[in-house]
Amino acid sequence: MIKTYCKMCATLTTQDIEKIQKLEETAIILSNVLGVDTFIDCPTKDGDKALVVHHSKPETRSMYSKNIAGEVALYKNEPAVLRTLQTGMPSKNYKAITQEGETVLQNVIAIKNESNEIIGVLILEHSDKKKTLLKIGDVETPEELMSSFLETRYTIPELIKDGIVIFNNNETVTYANGVAKSIYEKMGFGKNIVGETFQNIVINSVEFNNILQNKKIDVVEISILDMVLSVSYFATLENKKRQNVIMIVRDITQEKSKEQEIILKSVAIKEIHHRVKNNLQTIASLLRIQSRRSKNREVKKILDETISRILSIAITHEVLSEKGFDNLNIREIVDLIYKNYSTKTIDKKEKIEFTIIGDNFNISSEKATAIALVINEIIQNIVDYAFPDDVAGKVKIFIQKDHFFSRITISDNGVGIPQEKISSSGLGLMIVEKIIKEQLKGSFEIKSEVGKGTTVKFEIKNEY
């Protein structure tokens, strides 16, 4: 998301955005280690505002009830941000008002690109009741702040889940936190790896000089013994001339084990949905045989409608059997229902033109089944009654997503429905109204004019 927010600022180049992205990990580490909220703000074209492109909440107690990445920071509420963006000077313990109306203290450092232009700021924020956490007067970049912070041995809470190992420019370990020591102890090292060389400690094929040149090596996953570790490296300035390399190592064995369990469960769920779909199609086939054998037109009509309803339910299980997750795409469901009718009504396929337009969003499988049944009933009525005697026509399905409710409108330019028939409650209309009100928590409306067509509109309550 940080890349998306950076693009919204409209003031950053592609290289600027890459620079901001590389500082995301620094912000996360500082947040967890110091127990403060950290932010990266970037200027916008509006001279009075900056945009929060990243927010790290500490694993302990955050000052915020929610993550505010993507929200606007007003300079009148955060003068330290404005000062540092304009001057490039670090701002220490400035009072500010948060987006949630709380008074806090801010420590702000400028972020500069290769051309020494200010492209954003790194903000460390804590309660005005808490004592100063950092001495940032002598540092000018986020990298220097990180290096200074780690090298001067600030207390690192043992709750942090990342192992941190620091190498000086002689490729020697000068610091390792408790988590890192524990990980290396599991691999057979002693209790303290301080003093070891980079070549003895490194657990993947990476060169020390390569890290210094590239400033950062992205996260890689390594399987060793019975563990799975994620490892990344980045270089920081110890002073104007010397650099350190910092290795971040995390034991992700449990996460990988759970991930494998999820994959296996997903495969099993996909197989279940595949079997349900096949069973529903088998039932539909049996009913279709019965329909062909029946000589009673009314019975044939009822059986055909029942087959259509069963197949509309099968559609959601078909998608779930392919995707393997609960959220389904609304446009995909609507499109499959339309295609189901295209193959079923070959005689009308070329004469009825379907158009599906509007928004696209995900819905749960439960709501997808309900929506499929509703749309099935509506389209079935259109195909059967709107265009009699092979009359050509058009059907438009419009999907609109709003904040609390989403709306699906299905309209045709067919023969229309007399008012007295709209008010009469057939089985199809009863099914539609019941599903919309009870399962979708929405409303249903139908308007028609004889000779001009019919419009059916229903709303569904959003889930997210």
Side-chain angles (χ1 to χ4, degrees):
M1 288 301 294
I2 190 170
K3 185 175 182 180
T4 301
Y5 292 138
C6 284
K7 288 182 178 179
M8 290 169 59
C9 293
T11 59
L12 305 175
T13 66
T14 302
Q15 290 74 22
D16 292 341
I17 293 174
E18 290 176 356
K19 170 80 173 181
I20 298 293
Q21 284 182 288
K22 289 179 180 179
L23 291 173
E24 183 177 15
E25 190 169 27
T26 297
I28 293 170
I29 293 171
L30 289 171
S31 175
N32 287 328
V33 170
L34 289 174
V36 299
D37 288 274
T38 61
F39 307 87
I40 299 175
D41 285 16
C42 293
T44 66
K45 287 187 175 181
D46 189 329
D48 298 325
K49 299 174 183 176
L51 185 69
V52 183
V53 300
H54 175 76
H55 175 195
S56 293
K57 298 173 69 174
E59 292 184 351
T60 52
R61 188 175 179 181
S62 171
M63 294 285 294
Y64 292 78
S65 61
K66 64 177 183 178
N67 191 299
I68 64 164
E71 294 192 15
V72 170
L74 300 176
Y75 292 147
K76 66 178 182 180
N77 293 335
E78 303 182 38
V81 174
L82 175 63
R83 176 182 181 271
T84 300
L85 280 174
Q86 289 186 343
T87 67
M89 299 288 290
S91 299
K92 180 181 177 182
N93 292 328
Y94 271 63
K95 283 194 174 183
I97 306 297
T98 71
Q99 281 82 350
E100 297 181 353
E102 299 293 330
T103 301
V104 295
L105 293 179
Q106 290 183 332
N107 293 281
V108 186
I109 294 176
I111 301 170
K112 298 179 181 180
N113 61 16
E114 299 302 323
S115 302
N116 207 36
E117 298 169 329
I118 300 169
I119 59 174
V121 289
L122 174 68
I123 306 167
L124 285 82
E125 198 169 278
H126 58 87
S127 168
D128 60 354
K129 297 177 182 178
K130 188 184 291 187
K131 65 181 181 180
T132 303
L133 294 171
L134 292 171
K135 297 178 181 179
I136 66 169
D138 298 328
V139 298
E140 297 181 358
T141 69
E143 290 85 358
E144 288 179 352
L145 173 64
M146 186 68 174
S147 178
S148 173
F149 163 70
L150 291 171
E151 279 293 324
T152 51
R153 306 298 192 271
Y154 280 86
T155 301
I156 299 179
E158 291 302 321
L159 292 176
I160 186 171
K161 57 187 176 184
D162 294 325
I164 300 175
V165 181
I166 304 173
F167 303 88
N168 62 19
N169 61 339
N170 293 322
E171 302 186 27
T172 301
V173 177
T174 60
Y175 178 78
N177 72 345
V179 177
K181 291 176 182 177
S182 175
I183 291 173
Y184 274 88
E185 191 174 353
K186 291 177 184 177
M187 291 190 289
F189 285 79
K191 292 186 178 182
N192 196 348
I193 58 175
V194 174
E196 291 283 353
T197 64
F198 180 82
Q199 290 300 325
N200 285 342
I201 293 299
V202 68
I203 50 180
N204 65 312
S205 56
V206 61
E207 297 293 332
F208 191 86
N209 288 334
N210 191 31
I211 302 171
L212 294 179
Q213 291 171 7
N214 292 285
K215 305 303 181 185
K216 179 180 178 182
I217 302 295
D218 290 333
V219 176
V220 294
E221 292 182 3
I222 301 163
S223 296
I224 184 167
L225 298 176
D226 295 326
M227 295 186 294
V228 181
L229 305 175
S230 72
V231 185
S232 62
Y233 306 85
F234 62 94
T236 63
L237 290 173
E238 181 181 353
N239 54 44
K240 297 294 183 182
K241 296 180 179 179
R242 293 197 299 170
Q243 286 183 299
N244 293 317
V245 165
I246 298 176
M247 179 174 70
I248 310 296
V249 57
R250 179 186 300 177
D251 186 347
I252 58 171
T253 308
Q254 288 187 351
E255 289 92 328
K256 281 294 175 182
S257 177
K258 290 178 182 178
E259 186 179 298
Q260 188 62 30
E261 287 180 14
I262 292 171
I263 291 172
L264 293 174
K265 287 179 181 179
S266 176
V267 171
I269 290 170
K270 286 170 69 175
E271 178 61 23
I272 291 169
H273 285 298
H274 181 71
R275 293 186 183 187
V276 171
K277 179 203 73 170
N278 287 345
N279 290 338
L280 288 171
Q281 290 179 338
T282 300
I283 294 169
S285 297
L286 293 172
L287 290 174
R288 193 176 288 114
I289 293 170
Q290 192 67 37
S291 173
R292 288 170 183 168
R293 289 181 177 179
S294 177
K295 296 180 181 179
N296 188 309
R297 294 184 66 180
E298 185 63 26
V299 171
K300 285 176 68 69
K301 181 176 180 296
I302 292 171
L303 287 173
D304 287 343
E305 289 176 351
T306 303
I307 291 168
S308 182
R309 289 166 189 148
I310 291 171
L311 291 176
S312 70
I313 297 173
I315 282 171
T316 58
H317 290 282
E318 179 183 353
V319 177
L320 286 165
S321 70
E322 295 173 355
K323 305 275 174 118
F325 48 79
D326 190 57
N327 286 342
L328 302 180
N329 188 287
I330 182 70
R331 288 284 290 271
E332 187 173 1
I333 295 297
V334 174
D335 190 53
L336 285 172
I337 294 171
Y338 152 65
K339 288 179 179 177
N340 178 47
Y341 270 97
S342 294
T343 55
K344 192 180 76 171
T345 57
I346 298 174
D347 56 329
K348 293 187 176 184
K349 181 179 178 182
E350 301 299 328
K351 295 182 179 179
I352 301 178
E353 179 186 335
F354 278 84
T355 304
I356 304 170
I357 60 174
D359 300 324
N360 199 3
F361 54 91
N362 288 338
I363 50 176
S364 68
S365 57
E366 182 181 356
K367 284 200 170 182
T369 301
I371 291 171
L373 279 167
V374 169
I375 295 175
N376 173 78
E377 291 295 328
I378 297 170
I379 293 180
Q380 182 169 283
N381 276 304
I382 291 173
V383 172
D384 290 344
Y385 304 115
F387 308 107
D389 303 323
D390 294 333
V391 175
K394 296 181 180 180
V395 178
K396 183 171 75 172
I397 302 175
F398 178 54
I399 305 168
Q400 184 179 7
K401 186 177 186 346
D402 288 331
H403 291 293
F404 302 107
F405 284 85
S406 293
R407 187 177 302 105
I408 298 178
T409 305
I410 304 174
S411 58
D412 65 70
N413 63 345
V415 297
I417 309 171
Q419 191 62 39
E420 61 272 14
K421 287 193 176 182
I422 293 178
S423 57
S424 63
S425 55
L427 178 60
L429 186 59
M430 287 176 59
I431 291 173
V432 167
E433 289 186 319
K434 189 173 182 66
I435 291 173
I436 291 172
K437 290 180 180 178
E438 295 185 7
Q439 294 186 40
L440 300 177
K441 309 299 181 186
S443 60
F444 172 74
E445 178 185 0
I446 179 169
K447 293 181 180 180
S448 186
E449 188 174 346
V450 175
K452 292 189 176 181
T454 304
T455 297
V456 179
K457 184 187 299 182
F458 66 94
E459 290 186 330
I460 55 177
K461 188 175 181 180
N462 292 339
E463 297 170 293
Y464 310 110

